[in-house]
Amino acid sequence: MSEGTMERRVQRDQRDDRQAQRLSRVLVGAAVVPVMLVAAGCSSDSGSGSGSGSDESKSAGKDASASASASPSPTVQAAAYAELPDPCKVLSKKTLKDLLPKGDSGKEGSSSDTETRGSCSWDSLDNNGVKGSQFRWLNVSTLRFESDTARGAADDLAHTYYEKQIKDAQNTDGAKKVKSDLFAGAGDEAALVQYELKKKEGTFKQQTVVARVENVVVTLDYNGAGLAGDESPDAKGLVTDAKKAAKEVVAAVSAANGDGASASASPSTSPSESSTKKD
């Protein structure tokens, strides 16, 4: 065998050895890949399981959050008074006689809901012939409020209406010499509005008393006039009678609900506390 032939054989053998070594490394690498894939698969399964648990935790968290954020239905304090007295029986015969010397029985106002509102009116004409006559008119109305989750507590609603009634009286069309003041002894808060109205029959002196006891508002209108030449009635006397009657009505409202204490409660401060005059 020539030297050249032997050299090529040696080179070929070396090349074959290198190829065998590379093949061996490839086979080893190929064997490692499935192991890595398996490990990756296990890791993926583990991650998937963790994700599922996380989703369940998130769901539970949302439910808990929803439950925690769900506030109970709003509530307001229940109305204290559930009854109204007969509007034509809120004043004693003696009081009616004092306010209406020649008065007849009261006339009850019409109402579609007598459980929440009522009214009664009386009038009196004391005719003195050529000396003229004395006219008196009295009207009592009651309005009861119920608590409402949307509008608020009954006594708050009543207080708002109480203030509105005062303002309405103060702003009566044609009213002159308007005066307003608070007074005690008629429920939780009470106010008197005085004014004069000039009509062709004469000058009418008006007294409007607005009082609130718990969730009920009482409005009492009392006016008097000297007609056909008779003198106008004394304003102080009309005021005294109006306040006395209002206190009696408030007491009747309290009594209708089995409560005799509220009628003597002191009045609270309102925007009408300061006296006003309007010429």
Side-chain angles (χ1 to χ4, degrees):
M1 180 179 299
S2 65
E3 183 178 352
T5 301
M6 290 182 66
E7 184 177 357
R8 286 195 296 274
R9 176 177 293 180
V10 170
Q11 291 175 349
R12 185 172 60 247
D13 290 342
Q14 291 176 346
R15 187 173 59 252
D16 290 342
D17 288 340
R18 286 195 298 270
Q19 288 177 349
Q21 289 177 357
R22 284 198 298 271
L23 179 60
S24 176
R25 286 196 298 268
V26 170
L27 290 176
V28 171
V32 171
V33 170
V35 175
M36 293 177 64
L37 291 176
V38 170
C42 291
S43 175
S44 176
D45 289 344
S46 175
S48 174
S50 175
S52 176
S54 177
D55 290 341
E56 291 177 2
S57 298
K58 289 179 180 178
S59 177
K62 289 180 179 179
D63 292 341
S65 176
S67 176
S69 62
S71 59
S73 300
T75 59
V76 293
Q77 184 176 358
Y81 287 169
E83 302 290 338
L84 287 178
D86 184 329
C88 291
K89 296 181 179 179
V90 292
L91 295 172
S92 68
K93 291 182 179 181
K94 183 181 184 306
T95 298
L96 289 172
K97 188 68 174 177
D98 290 342
L99 273 66
L100 308 152
K102 300 292 181 178
D104 297 323
S105 58
K107 181 180 179 181
E108 186 172 354
S110 60
S111 174
S112 59
D113 186 2
T114 57
E115 292 185 355
T116 59
R117 65 178 66 238
S119 66
C120 191
S121 62
W122 300 260
D123 61 66
S124 169
L125 181 63
D126 188 2
N127 192 337
N128 297 309
V130 295
K131 294 182 179 180
S133 58
Q134 286 291 320
F135 174 78
R136 301 288 186 274
W137 179 79
L138 173 68
N139 185 82
V140 173
S141 66
T142 54
L143 183 61
R144 185 178 65 83
F145 290 84
E146 286 285 359
S147 293
D148 185 276
T149 54
R151 299 174 62 206
D155 55 347
D156 290 337
L157 297 174
H159 173 74
T160 299
Y161 181 73
Y162 160 83
E163 292 191 327
K164 178 181 182 299
Q165 287 292 85
I166 294 172
K167 290 179 181 178
D168 287 349
Q170 291 169 335
N171 295 303
T172 300
D173 289 341
K176 301 295 183 180
K177 299 181 180 179
V178 179
K179 299 178 181 179
S180 305
D181 65 90
L182 299 181
F183 67 96
D188 298 299
E189 49 191 345
L192 169 73
V193 181
Q194 298 174 261
Y195 56 86
E196 293 183 0
L197 284 175
K198 292 186 179 297
K199 300 183 179 181
K200 63 179 181 179
E201 297 89 349
T203 299
F204 288 76
K205 295 187 176 181
Q206 174 74 30
Q207 331 300 313
T208 297
V209 178
V210 185
R212 179 185 69 83
V213 54
E214 297 290 356
N215 56 306
V216 176
V217 176
V218 171
T219 304
L220 183 145
D221 290 298
Y222 182 51
N223 66 43
L227 308 179
D230 203 350
E231 293 182 357
S232 295
D234 177 48
K236 290 183 178 179
L238 295 177
V239 168
T240 299
D241 288 342
K243 288 182 176 181
K244 173 186 175 182
K247 292 177 182 180
E248 198 168 313
V249 176
V250 168
V253 173
S254 298
N257 291 275
D259 182 3
S262 293
S264 62
S266 298
S268 59
T269 302
S270 79
S272 62
E273 183 170 2
S274 59
S275 298
T276 59
K277 295 184 179 181
K278 177 182 173 185
D279 294 327

